[in-house]
Amino acid sequence: MPEPQRVAPVTVRDLVRLSAAGRRLVAVTAYTAPEARLCDAAGVDVILVGDSLGNAVLGLADTLGVTMDDMVRHTRAVAGAAQRALVVADLPFLSYQTGIADAVRNGGRLLQAGASAVKLEGGSAYVPTVEALGHAGIPVIGHLGFTPQSVRRLGGPRVQGRESGSAEELRRDAAALAAAGVGAIVLEMVPGPLAQAVTAEVSVPTIGIGAGPDCSGQILVLYDLVGLSPRLPHFARSYGDAGAEIGRAVERYAEDVRAGRFPGPEHTHDGRRWGEPHPPGRDAPS
Ligand code: KIV
């Protein structure tokens, strides 16, 4: 039997190379092994184990309650399932703001869990942290604009960089992060012209979300794009309705159980090993 073809995993350096070659980068969040398997098979370049885990999966109001243990567990699940995509894991709130040693220790934990890079939120103030992570062999992705871990200070999910002063600051932050060695910069909720200017100025790709069409790539929260989020942000687009599909499947299952149509005799455990085909003459489960 021929060996299954293994594909070379995307690296942080590849992001710069692919982007310089004119390829728009495709990134998506994922939190579990099945999600990672599907996104990887769909050919995305980057899978982010985002701390949006808090809102998307854990039912929290924001990302502030997400812990390192949460991130390690979900990073392990995603990294174990993704074969080609670059797996980036978010450093959660208070895992790096408290000091450089904490950042390196926690970044290292995420790499040990299988991530190939970590993402942190913030600008020039985090240059020493980005450099220390780099020295420790931990590639970093930056995140500017609306930074959800600062939601209390920012007063909600608001567009950042509207005024000339804050736009200038964001441009300086992007240049400082690029010089410090980040592999890419996520720009979240930034006016389109500002995102376009930053993308033209910095030496690393930008990955936009709510930042218009002129970034080097795009990221969406998986649940927004597959129709599993209760509310779709205006800057996202839904490409499917997995929520409706799951609801219909569970309804049909409930109807079958209540009507005695499932399980049938063929669904009795008969000593076959997991995954073995059904013996001839017996119906496969529908
Ligand atoms: O946590 C997350 O999902 C993110 C993306 C929105 C960029 O940081």
Side-chain angles (χ1 to χ4, degrees), residues 27-31 48-56 63 71 90 119 121 142-143 146-149 186-188 207-209 219-222 224 235:
V28 66
T29 67
Y31 315 97
L48 171 69
V49 190
D51 60 356
S52 50
L53 174 74
N55 341 27
T63 62
M71 290 306 302
D90 265 341
K119 177 166 78 60
E121 300 180 3
H143 185 153
F146 173 64
T147 43
Q149 293 174 16
V186 169
L187 296 177
E188 180 166 356
I207 301 180
I209 176 162
I219 183 161
L220 279 183
V221 168
L222 178 66
D224 290 343
F235 53 74

Side-chain angles (χ1 to χ4, degrees), residues 95-242:
S95 68
Y96 60 99
Q97 292 91 341
T98 48
I100 288 176
D102 286 351
V104 172
R105 189 174 323 108
N106 289 320
R109 279 187 73 194
L110 293 173
L111 253 62
Q112 286 175 333
S116 290
V118 300
K119 177 166 78 60
L120 59 75
E121 300 180 3
S124 308
Y126 287 97
V127 160
T129 308
V130 171
E131 286 172 347
L133 285 162
H135 288 140
I138 303 169
V140 185
I141 306 296
H143 185 153
L144 295 172
F146 173 64
T147 43
Q149 293 174 16
S150 302
V151 63
R152 299 281 200 280
R153 178 173 58 80
L154 299 174
R158 301 221 160 93
V159 177
Q160 303 296 309
R162 269 210 170 112
E163 298 79 29
S164 60
S166 57
E168 273 313 308
E169 190 181 334
L170 195 143
R171 288 166 89 145
R172 279 197 302 274
D173 282 342
L177 288 177
V182 296
I185 302 173
V186 169
L187 296 177
E188 180 166 356
M189 296 182 72
V190 167
L194 175 58
Q196 184 181 30
V198 171
T199 303
E201 282 164 10
V202 294
S203 53
V204 296
T206 58
I207 301 180
I209 176 162
D214 295 310
C215 291
S216 323
Q218 175 69 33
I219 183 161
L220 279 183
V221 168
L222 178 66
Y223 292 7
D224 290 343
L225 101 83
V226 300
L228 273 176
S229 296
R231 272 184 319 276
L232 187 69
H234 74 276
F235 53 74
R237 183 185 284 170
S238 178
Y239 287 85
D241 201 347

Side-chain angles (χ1 to χ4, degrees), residues 10 14 17-18 33 39-40 46 70 93 110 150 169 174 223-224 238 244 251 263 275:
V10 178
D14 288 334
R17 189 179 53 77
L18 290 170
C39 294
D40 196 60
V46 178
D70 293 331
F93 184 53
L110 293 173
S150 302
E169 190 181 334
Y223 292 7
D224 290 343
S238 178
E251 274 169 23

Side-chain angles (χ1 to χ4, degrees), residues 270 272-280:
D270 58 7
R272 267 177 300 131
R273 282 214 314 255
W274 184 260
E276 264 180 47
H278 285 253

